[in-house]
Amino acid sequence: REYDWRTVALVASSYHLPRAFLTFLKALDEAKMTETVRIVPTPAKAPLWEKPLGMDESRIQLLDSELFKIRAYRRHVVSYADGLVYLKRWES
């Protein structure tokens, strides 16, 4: 609100982006700003099948653990359904 932002690019690793998006959307929802601020989820370009530097798991394996975290942190994220409604509203 302080900067009157209308669009925010959310850049994250492809495996982390779903949880980051649902978390940011939860914050917008709590601030009553989902109608005025558009989040543009933007994956950092990197192959899903490779391991990030210094990590033991591939990005696709890390995505699996991120999806588990979405279920585990339900109070801190919006639902997949709410995320899709939000994206569809901004896409139309």
Side-chain angles (χ1 to χ4, degrees), residues 5-42:
W5 290 346
R6 297 291 172 220
T7 303
V8 176
L10 176 60
V11 181
S13 300
S14 55
Y15 63 88
H16 185 61
L17 193 56
R19 184 163 61 101
F21 171 72
L22 296 175
T23 302
F24 271 72
L25 186 50
K26 175 74 171 186
L28 280 184
D29 187 48
E30 290 175 351
K32 309 283 189 249
M33 296 176 67
T34 58
E35 299 292 326
T36 58
V37 177
R38 178 182 184 196
I39 301 171
V40 180
T42 309

Side-chain angles (χ1 to χ4, degrees), residues 1-87:
R1 284 191 180 123
E2 180 181 345
Y3 297 103
D4 197 33
W5 290 346
R6 297 291 172 220
T7 303
V8 176
L10 176 60
V11 181
S13 300
S14 55
Y15 63 88
H16 185 61
L17 193 56
R19 184 163 61 101
F21 171 72
L22 296 175
T23 302
F24 271 72
L25 186 50
K26 175 74 171 186
L28 280 184
D29 187 48
E30 290 175 351
K32 309 283 189 249
M33 296 176 67
T34 58
E35 299 292 326
T36 58
V37 177
R38 178 182 184 196
I39 301 171
V40 180
T42 309
K45 186 173 171 84
L48 277 174
W49 306 107
E50 293 181 9
K51 296 176 184 176
L53 189 62
M55 305 209 47
D56 295 326
E57 297 178 296
S58 69
R59 288 177 179 86
I60 198 75
Q61 291 169 316
L62 292 166
L63 174 61
D64 188 49
S65 63
E66 286 292 312
L67 298 177
F68 172 80
K69 291 174 186 177
I70 289 171
R71 290 188 300 274
Y73 304 151
R74 274 179 292 194
R75 294 183 308 152
H76 305 288
V77 299
V78 299
S79 68
Y80 290 117
D82 288 343
L84 287 173
V85 166
Y86 175 85
L87 288 172

